[in-house]
């Protein structure tokens, strides 16, 4: 008998994580249908790598029409999230939360069995050390983190009540080629190519860095598990940002004497970045997998891909 291809609906396929995720899911044999709530992104004004259908995330009737036209997917993966460059934007607590809740409740009402939501390690706030999924946040939370928490709590509760599956994935600090303009990696690469000295903050804080390719593979594997849960997706290690910058600049071939830390202050609203890292126990138990790519290998891969991309203005 022929094997039925799994159908995945995905939001955020134009983004840093969503775009390679859509490609990876397609390459694994899944029928992937991408959706966006931006009319501009499905018009002729902006060519996207993945064909995308318009979906009004705030309109229950529009969601129902899509299901009527295309049938229910096997899983819905919600990666799309507005105002990513501004962690204190009110959009995180307004439209982003409202859209997440409407998508979850409407699709579950229509019979969806599995909803996968991409949260954030920022949901832990200022916690330090090894971060376990059962921990509550501590310290200041950005609006971005608060919005992610609200959607995750809503989804987990609805799924528990009606006996469906809601999977909440918490990626840690994702890096790689394809990040938005103004990101640390793009600034470093652009400075090197233009023979300039990069303007850097003190870089005294810490990050659990994970390459985007490992995040994509992790999401693909996590999406196959049964049962509602929250899962960390990080490297399980921590590096001081100053050391990461030094490794990246060295891999580019930059003059190490030109690196001057502290010439640029931290941006307003920058989330706290204490010395913390992902506990991967649950990830390993559920998927029998964990990221194995080193920081150095991830940096080398990032640079190789950046070399193939058109230069940014």
């Amino acid at each position: 008998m022929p094997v039925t291809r799994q159908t995945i609906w995905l939001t955020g396929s134009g983004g840093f994580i969503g775009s390679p995720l859509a490609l990876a899911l397609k390459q694994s044999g899944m029928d992937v249908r991408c959706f966006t709530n931006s009319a501009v992104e499905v018009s002729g004004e902006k060519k996207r790598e993945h064909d995308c259908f318009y979906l009004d995330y705030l309109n229950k009737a529009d969601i129902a029409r899509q299901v009527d036209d295309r049938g229910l997917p096997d899983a819905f993966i919600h990666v799309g999230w507005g105002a990513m460059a501004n962690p204190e934007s009110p959009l995180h607590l307004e439209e982003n939360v409202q859209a997440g809740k409407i998508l979850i409740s409407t699709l579950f009402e229509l019979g969806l069995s599995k909803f996968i939501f991409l949260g954030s390690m920022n949901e832990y706030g200022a916690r330090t050390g090894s971060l376990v999924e059962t921990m509550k946040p501590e310290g200041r939370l950005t609006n971005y983190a608060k919005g992610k928490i609200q959607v995750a709590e809503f989804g987990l509760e609805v799924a528990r009540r009606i006996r469906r599956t809601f999977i909440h994935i918490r990626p840690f600090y994702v890096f790689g080629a394809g990040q938005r303009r103004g990101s640390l990696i793009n600034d470093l690469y652009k400075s090197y190519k233009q023979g300039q000295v990069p303007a850097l903050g003190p870089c005294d804080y810490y990050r659990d860095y994970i390459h985007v390719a490992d995040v994509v593979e992790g999401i693909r594997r996590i999406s196959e598990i049964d049962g509602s849960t929250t899962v960390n997706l990080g490297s399980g290690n921590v590096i001081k940002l100053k050391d990461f910058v030094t490794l990246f600049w060295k891999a580019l071939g930059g003059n190490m004497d030109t690196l001057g830390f502290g010439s640029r202050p931290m941006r307003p609203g920058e989330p706290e970045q204490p010395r913390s890292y992902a506990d991967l126990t649950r990830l390993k138990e559920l998927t029998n997998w964990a990221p194995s790519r080193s920081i150095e290998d991830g940096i080398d891969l990032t640079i190789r891909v950046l070399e193939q991309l058109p230069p940014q203005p």
Side-chain angles (χ1 to χ4, degrees):
M1 295 180 63
V3 177
T4 303
R5 294 173 67 196
Q6 272 208 323
T7 299
I8 305 293
W9 287 14
L10 172 69
T11 68
S13 65
F16 170 49
I17 294 175
S19 182
L21 175 60
L23 180 61
L25 293 173
K26 290 174 182 178
Q27 290 176 339
S28 67
M30 297 183 183
D31 180 7
V32 181
R33 300 175 188 180
C34 301
F35 293 87
T36 177
N37 62 345
S38 172
V40 173
E41 293 185 355
V42 293
S43 70
E45 300 173 40
K46 184 176 180 181
K47 176 65 176 175
R48 296 171 59 93
E49 182 179 352
H50 306 287
D51 290 335
C52 225
F53 303 101
Y54 175 76
L55 175 64
D56 185 350
Y57 303 164
L58 301 173
N59 189 325
K60 298 182 72 170
D62 192 35
I63 298 169
R65 279 194 296 271
Q66 292 287 353
V67 172
D68 285 342
D69 291 345
R70 308 177 194 283
L72 271 173
D74 294 290
F76 188 99
I77 306 179
H78 189 34
V79 177
W81 194 267
M84 289 289 291
N86 182 4
E88 293 297 351
S89 169
L91 188 75
H92 297 301
L93 298 176
E94 297 167 359
E95 184 175 327
N96 283 343
V97 169
Q98 188 179 4
K101 289 182 176 181
I102 290 173
L103 284 168
I104 292 164
S105 58
T106 305
L107 287 165
F108 276 154
E109 288 170 8
L110 294 170
L112 180 74
S113 60
K114 182 182 290 186
F115 194 108
I116 300 157
F117 173 63
L118 203 67
S120 167
M121 65 79 55
N122 293 123
E123 296 171 45
Y124 289 109
R127 275 195 172 274
T128 59
S130 179
L131 302 180
V132 181
E133 289 87 349
T134 54
M135 289 178 170
K136 298 295 183 183
E138 286 184 353
R140 184 180 69 87
L141 291 171
T142 62
N143 285 345
Y144 169 73
K146 292 175 184 175
K148 292 286 189 177
I149 290 171
Q150 287 184 32
V151 173
E153 289 179 343
F154 177 84
L156 288 165
E157 172 56 26
V158 172
R160 182 198 63 78
R161 190 172 65 247
I162 64 174
R163 297 183 181 179
R164 303 289 170 79
T165 296
F166 183 90
I167 301 174
H168 170 212
I169 303 174
R170 284 178 175 158
F172 278 60
Y173 283 97
V174 187
F175 78 99
Q179 291 180 260
R180 63 179 182 272
R181 292 180 184 178
S183 67
L184 173 64
I185 280 175
N186 283 342
D187 284 352
L188 287 171
Y189 184 75
K190 185 177 179 181
S191 294
Y192 171 75
K193 285 296 184 180
Q194 295 180 352
Q196 299 174 347
V197 177
L200 297 166
C203 298
D204 287 330
Y205 32 94
Y206 296 86
R207 291 181 176 176
D208 177 338
Y209 265 123
I210 177 171
H211 192 270
V212 65
D214 286 331
V215 170
V216 165
E217 178 63 13
I219 294 172
R220 188 188 69 78
R221 288 173 180 263
I222 293 168
S223 69
E224 297 174 353
I225 68 176
D226 295 318
S228 297
T229 190
T230 296
V231 188
N232 285 336
L233 184 51
S235 69
N237 300 299
V238 67
I239 185 172
K240 199 170 193 176
L241 188 55
K242 186 178 292 185
D243 296 331
F244 178 85
V245 169
T246 300
L247 287 172
F248 197 91
W249 194 246
K250 184 177 180 180
L252 284 169
N255 182 350
M256 304 306 293
D257 295 333
T258 63
L259 283 181
F261 295 97
S263 61
R264 184 174 70 182
M266 288 185 68
R267 293 175 297 181
E270 186 80 11
E272 295 182 57
Q273 297 161 30
R275 193 180 190 282
S276 58
Y277 51 95
D279 180 285
L280 301 181
T281 303
R282 184 173 293 180
L283 174 67
K284 294 173 183 177
E285 288 176 348
L286 292 173
T287 67
N288 197 31
W289 172 87
S292 59
R293 183 178 278 104
S294 69
I295 286 285
E296 291 82 0
D297 287 346
I299 287 173
D300 288 344
L301 175 58
T302 299
I303 293 172
R304 289 201 303 273
V305 176
L306 285 171
E307 294 286 357
Q308 299 169 12
L309 298 176
Q312 290 189 0

Coordinates of all heavy atoms in Angstrom, one line a residue, residues 65-132:
R65 N -12.0 28.3 6.6 CA -12.1 28.2 5.1 C -10.8 27.5 4.6 O -10.9 26.7 3.7 CB -12.2 29.6 4.5 CG -13.6 30.2 4.5 CD -13.7 31.4 3.6 NE -12.8 32.5 4.0 CZ -13.2 33.4 4.9 NH1 -14.5 33.4 5.3 NH2 -12.4 34.4 5.2
Q66 N -9.7 27.8 5.2 CA -8.5 27.1 4.7 C -8.5 25.6 5.0 O -8.1 24.8 4.2 CB -7.2 27.7 5.5 CG -6.9 29.1 5.1 CD -6.3 29.2 3.7 OE1 -6.0 28.2 3.1 NE2 -6.1 30.5 3.3
V67 N -9.1 25.2 6.1 CA -9.2 23.8 6.5 C -10.3 23.2 5.5 O -10.1 22.0 5.1 CB -9.7 23.6 7.9 CG1 -10.0 22.2 8.2 CG2 -8.5 24.1 8.9
D68 N -11.4 23.8 5.2 CA -12.3 23.3 4.3 C -11.7 23.1 2.9 O -12.0 22.1 2.3 CB -13.5 24.3 4.2 CG -14.4 24.2 5.4 OD1 -14.4 23.2 6.1 OD2 -15.2 25.2 5.6
D69 N -10.9 24.1 2.5 CA -10.3 24.0 1.1 C -9.2 22.9 1.0 O -9.0 22.3 0.0 CB -9.7 25.3 0.7 CG -10.8 26.4 0.5 OD1 -12.0 26.0 0.4 OD2 -10.5 27.6 0.5
R70 N -8.4 22.8 2.1 CA -7.2 22.0 2.0 C -7.2 20.8 2.9 O -6.3 19.9 2.8 CB -6.0 22.9 2.3 CG -5.9 24.2 1.6 CD -4.7 25.1 2.0 NE -4.9 26.4 1.4 CZ -4.7 26.7 0.2 NH1 -4.2 25.8 -0.7 NH2 -4.8 28.0 -0.2
G71 N -8.1 20.7 3.8 CA -8.2 19.5 4.7 C -7.3 19.8 5.9 O -6.3 20.6 5.9
L72 N -7.5 19.1 7.0 CA -6.7 19.3 8.2 C -5.3 18.8 8.0 O -5.1 17.7 7.5 CB -7.3 18.6 9.4 CG -8.4 19.4 10.3 CD1 -9.0 18.4 11.3 CD2 -7.7 20.5 11.0
P73 N -4.3 19.5 8.5 CA -2.9 19.0 8.4 C -2.7 17.9 9.6 O -3.5 17.9 10.5 CB -2.1 20.2 8.7 CG -2.9 21.1 9.5 CD -4.3 20.9 9.1
D74 N -1.7 17.2 9.4 CA -1.3 16.3 10.5 C -0.7 17.0 11.7 O -0.9 16.6 12.9 CB -0.3 15.2 10.0 CG -0.9 14.3 9.0 OD1 -1.8 13.5 9.4 OD2 -0.5 14.4 7.8
A75 N -0.1 18.2 11.4 CA 0.4 19.0 12.5 C 0.5 20.4 12.0 O 0.7 20.7 10.8 CB 1.8 18.5 12.9
F76 N 0.4 21.4 12.9 CA 0.5 22.8 12.6 C 1.7 23.3 13.4 O 1.7 23.2 14.6 CB -0.8 23.6 13.0 CG -0.8 25.0 12.6 CD1 -1.5 25.4 11.4 CD2 -0.2 26.0 13.3 CE1 -1.5 26.7 11.0 CE2 -0.2 27.3 12.9 CZ -0.9 27.7 11.7
I77 N 2.7 23.9 12.7 CA 3.9 24.4 13.4 C 3.9 26.0 13.3 O 3.9 26.5 12.2 CB 5.2 23.9 12.8 CG1 5.2 22.4 12.7 CG2 6.4 24.4 13.5 CD1 6.4 21.8 12.1
H78 N 3.8 26.6 14.5 CA 3.7 28.1 14.5 C 5.0 28.7 14.9 O 5.4 28.7 16.1 CB 2.6 28.5 15.5 CG 2.2 29.9 15.5 ND1 2.2 30.7 14.4 CD2 1.9 30.8 16.5 CE1 1.9 31.9 14.7 NE2 1.7 32.0 16.0
V79 N 5.7 29.2 13.9 CA 7.0 29.8 14.1 C 6.9 31.3 13.9 O 7.6 32.1 14.5 CB 8.0 29.3 13.1 CG1 9.4 30.0 13.2 CG2 8.2 27.8 13.3
G80 N 5.9 31.8 13.1 CA 5.7 33.2 12.8 C 5.5 34.0 14.1 O 4.6 33.6 14.9
W81 N 6.1 35.2 14.2 CA 6.0 36.0 15.3 C 6.4 37.4 15.0 O 7.6 37.6 14.5 CB 6.8 35.5 16.5 CG 6.5 36.1 17.9 CD1 7.1 37.1 18.4 CD2 5.5 35.6 18.8 NE1 6.6 37.4 19.7 CE2 5.6 36.4 19.9 CE3 4.6 34.6 18.8 CZ2 4.8 36.3 21.0 CZ3 3.8 34.4 19.9 CH2 3.9 35.3 21.0
G82 N 5.6 38.4 15.2 CA 6.0 39.8 14.7 C 6.9 40.5 15.7 O 7.0 40.1 16.8
A83 N 7.5 41.6 15.2 CA 8.3 42.5 16.0 C 9.5 41.8 16.6 O 9.9 42.1 17.8 CB 7.5 43.2 17.0
M84 N 10.1 40.9 16.0 CA 11.2 40.1 16.6 C 12.4 41.0 16.9 O 13.2 40.7 17.8 CB 11.7 39.0 15.6 CG 10.7 37.9 15.4 SD 10.6 36.9 16.9 CE 12.2 36.1 16.9
A85 N 12.6 42.1 16.2 CA 13.7 43.0 16.5 C 13.6 43.9 17.7 O 14.5 44.5 18.1 CB 14.1 43.8 15.2
N86 N 12.3 43.9 18.2 CA 12.1 44.8 19.3 C 11.4 44.0 20.5 O 10.2 43.8 20.5 CB 11.1 45.9 18.9 CG 10.8 46.9 20.0 OD1 11.3 46.8 21.1 ND2 10.0 47.9 19.8
P87 N 12.2 43.5 21.4 CA 11.7 42.7 22.5 C 10.7 43.3 23.4 O 9.9 42.6 24.1 CB 12.9 42.2 23.3 CG 13.9 43.2 23.0 CD 13.7 43.7 21.6
E88 N 10.6 44.7 23.4 CA 9.6 45.4 24.3 C 8.4 45.9 23.5 O 7.6 46.7 24.0 CB 10.3 46.5 25.0 CG 11.3 46.0 26.0 CD 10.7 45.2 27.2 OE1 9.5 45.1 27.3 OE2 11.5 44.6 27.9
S89 N 8.3 45.6 22.2 CA 7.1 46.0 21.5 C 5.8 45.6 22.1 O 5.7 44.4 22.5 CB 7.2 45.5 20.0 OG 6.0 45.7 19.3
P90 N 4.8 46.4 22.2 CA 3.5 46.0 22.7 C 2.9 44.9 21.8 O 2.0 44.2 22.2 CB 2.7 47.3 22.7 CG 3.4 48.2 21.7 CD 4.8 47.9 21.8
L91 N 3.3 44.8 20.6 CA 2.8 43.8 19.7 C 2.9 42.4 20.2 O 2.0 41.5 20.0 CB 3.5 43.9 18.3 CG 2.9 43.0 17.2 CD1 1.6 43.6 16.6 CD2 3.9 42.9 16.0
H92 N 3.9 42.1 21.0 CA 4.1 40.8 21.6 C 3.0 40.4 22.5 O 2.6 39.2 22.6 CB 5.5 40.8 22.4 CG 6.7 41.0 21.5 ND1 7.0 40.2 20.4 CD2 7.6 41.9 21.5 CE1 8.1 40.6 19.8 NE2 8.5 41.7 20.5
L93 N 2.4 41.4 23.3 CA 1.4 41.1 24.2 C 0.0 41.3 23.6 O -1.0 41.0 24.3 CB 1.6 42.0 25.5 CG 2.9 41.7 26.2 CD1 3.0 42.7 27.4 CD2 3.0 40.3 26.7
E94 N -0.1 41.8 22.4 CA -1.3 42.1 21.8 C -1.6 41.2 20.6 O -2.1 40.0 20.8 CB -1.4 43.6 21.4 CG -1.3 44.5 22.6 CD -1.0 46.0 22.2 OE1 -0.9 46.3 21.0 OE2 -0.9 46.8 23.1
E95 N -1.2 41.6 19.4 CA -1.5 40.8 18.2 C -0.9 39.4 18.2 O -1.5 38.4 17.9 CB -1.1 41.6 17.0 CG -1.5 40.8 15.7 CD -1.2 41.6 14.5 OE1 -1.3 42.9 14.5 OE2 -0.9 41.0 13.4
N96 N 0.4 39.3 18.7 CA 1.1 38.0 18.7 C 0.4 37.0 19.6 O 0.2 35.9 19.2 CB 2.5 38.2 19.1 CG 3.4 38.8 18.0 OD1 3.1 38.8 16.8 ND2 4.6 39.3 18.4
V97 N 0.0 37.5 20.8 CA -0.7 36.6 21.7 C -2.1 36.2 21.2 O -2.5 35.0 21.2 CB -0.8 37.2 23.1 CG1 -1.7 36.4 24.0 CG2 0.6 37.3 23.7
Q98 N -2.8 37.2 20.7 CA -4.1 37.0 20.2 C -4.1 36.0 19.0 O -4.9 35.1 19.0 CB -4.8 38.3 19.8 CG -6.3 38.2 19.5 CD -6.9 39.5 19.1 OE1 -6.2 40.6 19.0 NE2 -8.2 39.6 18.8
A99 N -3.2 36.2 18.1 CA -3.1 35.3 16.9 C -2.8 33.9 17.4 O -3.4 33.0 16.9 CB -2.0 35.9 16.0
G100 N -1.8 33.7 18.3 CA -1.5 32.4 18.8 C -2.7 31.7 19.4 O -3.0 30.5 19.1
K101 N -3.4 32.4 20.2 CA -4.6 31.8 20.9 C -5.7 31.4 19.9 O -6.3 30.4 20.0 CB -5.1 32.7 22.0 CG -4.2 32.9 23.2 CD -4.8 33.8 24.3 CE -3.9 33.8 25.5 NZ -4.5 34.7 26.6
I102 N -5.9 32.3 18.9 CA -7.0 32.0 18.0 C -6.6 30.8 17.1 O -7.4 30.0 16.8 CB -7.3 33.3 17.1 CG1 -8.0 34.3 18.0 CG2 -8.2 32.9 15.9 CD1 -8.2 35.7 17.3
L103 N -5.4 30.8 16.6 CA -4.9 29.7 15.8 C -5.1 28.3 16.6 O -5.6 27.3 16.1 CB -3.5 29.8 15.4 CG -3.2 30.8 14.3 CD1 -1.7 31.1 14.2 CD2 -3.7 30.3 13.0
I104 N -4.6 28.3 17.9 CA -4.7 27.1 18.7 C -6.1 26.7 18.9 O -6.5 25.5 18.6 CB -4.0 27.4 20.0 CG1 -2.5 27.5 19.8 CG2 -4.3 26.2 21.0 CD1 -1.8 28.1 21.0
S105 N -7.0 27.6 19.4 CA -8.3 27.2 19.7 C -9.1 26.8 18.5 O -9.9 25.8 18.5 CB -9.0 28.4 20.5 OG -9.0 29.6 19.7
T106 N -9.0 27.6 17.4 CA -9.8 27.3 16.2 C -9.4 26.0 15.6 O -10.2 25.2 15.2 CB -9.6 28.5 15.2 OG1 -10.0 29.7 15.8 CG2 -10.5 28.2 14.0
L107 N -8.1 25.8 15.4 CA -7.6 24.5 14.8 C -8.0 23.3 15.6 O -8.3 22.3 15.1 CB -6.1 24.6 14.5 CG -5.7 25.5 13.4 CD1 -4.2 25.9 13.4 CD2 -6.1 24.9 12.0
F108 N -7.8 23.4 16.9 CA -8.2 22.3 17.8 C -9.7 22.0 17.7 O -10.2 20.9 17.6 CB -7.8 22.5 19.2 CG -6.4 22.2 19.6 CD1 -5.7 22.8 20.6 CD2 -5.7 21.2 18.9 CE1 -4.4 22.5 20.9 CE2 -4.4 20.9 19.2 CZ -3.8 21.5 20.2
E109 N -10.5 23.1 17.6 CA -12.0 22.9 17.5 C -12.3 22.3 16.2 O -13.3 21.5 16.1 CB -12.7 24.3 17.5 CG -12.7 24.9 18.9 CD -13.2 26.4 18.9 OE1 -13.6 26.9 17.8 OE2 -13.1 27.1 19.9
L110 N -11.5 22.5 15.1 CA -11.8 21.9 13.8 C -11.2 20.5 13.7 O -11.4 19.8 12.7 CB -11.1 22.8 12.7 CG -11.8 24.2 12.6 CD1 -10.9 25.1 11.6 CD2 -13.2 24.1 12.0
G111 N -10.6 20.0 14.8 CA -10.1 18.6 14.8 C -8.6 18.4 14.7 O -8.2 17.2 14.6
L112 N -7.8 19.4 14.7 CA -6.4 19.3 14.6 C -5.9 18.4 15.8 O -6.4 18.7 17.0 CB -5.7 20.6 14.7 CG -4.1 20.6 14.6 CD1 -3.6 20.2 13.2 CD2 -3.6 22.0 15.1
S113 N -5.0 17.5 15.6 CA -4.5 16.7 16.7 C -3.2 17.2 17.3 O -2.9 16.9 18.5 CB -4.3 15.2 16.2 OG -3.4 15.2 15.2
K114 N -2.4 17.9 16.6 CA -1.1 18.3 17.1 C -0.7 19.7 16.7 O -0.7 20.0 15.5 CB 0.0 17.4 16.6 CG 1.4 17.7 17.1 CD 2.5 16.7 16.6 CE 2.3 15.3 17.1 NZ 3.4 14.4 16.7
F115 N -0.4 20.6 17.7 CA 0.0 22.0 17.4 C 1.4 22.1 18.1 O 1.6 21.8 19.2 CB -1.0 22.9 18.1 CG -0.8 24.4 17.7 CD1 -1.8 25.0 16.8 CD2 0.2 25.1 18.1 CE1 -1.7 26.3 16.4 CE2 0.4 26.5 17.7 CZ -0.6 27.0 16.8
I116 N 2.3 22.6 17.3 CA 3.7 22.8 17.7 C 4.0 24.3 17.7 O 3.9 25.0 16.7 CB 4.7 22.1 16.8 CG1 4.4 20.6 16.9 CG2 6.1 22.3 17.3 CD1 4.9 19.8 15.6
F117 N 4.5 24.8 18.9 CA 4.7 26.2 19.0 C 6.1 26.5 19.4 O 6.7 25.9 20.3 CB 3.8 26.8 20.2 CG 4.0 28.2 20.5 CD1 3.9 29.2 19.6 CD2 4.5 28.5 21.8 CE1 4.1 30.6 20.0 CE2 4.7 29.9 22.2 CZ 4.5 30.9 21.3
L118 N 6.7 27.5 18.7 CA 8.1 27.8 18.9 C 8.2 29.0 20.0 O 7.8 30.1 19.7 CB 8.8 28.3 17.6 CG 10.3 28.1 17.7 CD1 10.7 26.7 17.7 CD2 10.9 28.8 16.4
G119 N 8.6 28.6 21.2 CA 8.7 29.6 22.2 C 10.1 30.2 22.2 O 10.7 30.4 21.2
S120 N 10.7 30.4 23.4 CA 12.0 31.0 23.5 C 12.7 30.7 24.9 O 12.0 30.6 25.9 CB 11.9 32.5 23.3 OG 13.1 33.2 23.7
M121 N 14.0 30.7 24.9 CA 14.7 30.5 26.2 C 14.5 31.8 27.0 O 14.7 31.7 28.3 CB 16.2 30.2 26.0 CG 17.0 31.3 25.3 SD 17.6 32.6 26.4 CE 18.3 31.8 27.7
N122 N 14.1 32.9 26.4 CA 13.9 34.1 27.2 C 12.8 34.0 28.2 O 12.6 34.8 29.1 CB 13.6 35.3 26.3 CG 14.8 35.7 25.4 OD1 14.8 35.7 24.2 ND2 16.0 36.0 26.1
E123 N 12.0 32.9 28.0 CA 10.9 32.6 29.0 C 11.4 32.3 30.4 O 10.7 32.4 31.4 CB 10.0 31.5 28.5 CG 9.3 31.8 27.2 CD 8.6 30.6 26.6 OE1 8.0 29.8 27.3 OE2 8.8 30.3 25.4
Y124 N 12.7 32.0 30.5 CA 13.3 31.7 31.8 C 13.7 33.0 32.5 O 14.0 32.9 33.7 CB 14.5 30.8 31.7 CG 14.2 29.3 31.3 CD1 14.5 28.9 30.0 CD2 13.6 28.5 32.2 CE1 14.2 27.5 29.6 CE2 13.3 27.2 31.8 CZ 13.6 26.7 30.6 OH 13.3 25.4 30.2
G125 N 13.7 34.1 31.8 CA 14.1 35.3 32.5 C 15.6 35.3 32.8 O 16.4 35.0 32.0
A126 N 15.9 35.7 34.1 CA 17.2 35.8 34.6 C 17.8 34.6 35.3 O 18.7 34.7 36.0 CB 17.3 37.1 35.4
R127 N 17.1 33.5 35.1 CA 17.6 32.3 35.8 C 19.0 31.9 35.3 O 19.4 32.2 34.2 CB 16.7 31.1 35.5 CG 15.5 31.0 36.4 CD 14.8 29.7 36.3 NE 13.8 29.5 37.3 CZ 14.0 29.0 38.6 NH1 15.3 28.8 39.0 NH2 13.0 28.9 39.4
T128 N 19.8 31.3 36.2 CA 21.2 31.0 35.9 C 21.4 29.5 36.0 O 20.5 28.8 36.6 CB 22.2 31.7 36.9 OG1 21.9 31.3 38.2 CG2 22.1 33.2 36.8
G129 N 22.5 29.0 35.5 CA 22.8 27.6 35.6 C 22.1 26.7 34.5 O 21.6 27.2 33.5
S130 N 21.9 25.5 34.9 CA 21.2 24.5 34.0 C 19.7 24.8 34.1 O 19.1 24.7 35.1 CB 21.6 23.1 34.4 OG 20.9 22.2 33.6
L131 N 19.1 25.1 32.9 CA 17.7 25.4 32.9 C 16.8 24.2 32.5 O 17.0 23.6 31.4 CB 17.4 26.5 31.9 CG 18.2 27.8 32.1 CD1 17.9 28.9 31.1 CD2 18.0 28.4 33.6
V132 N 15.9 23.8 33.4 CA 15.1 22.6 33.2 C 13.7 23.2 32.9 O 13.2 24.2 33.4 CB 15.0 21.8 34.5 CG1 14.1 20.6 34.3 CG2 16.4 21.3 34.8

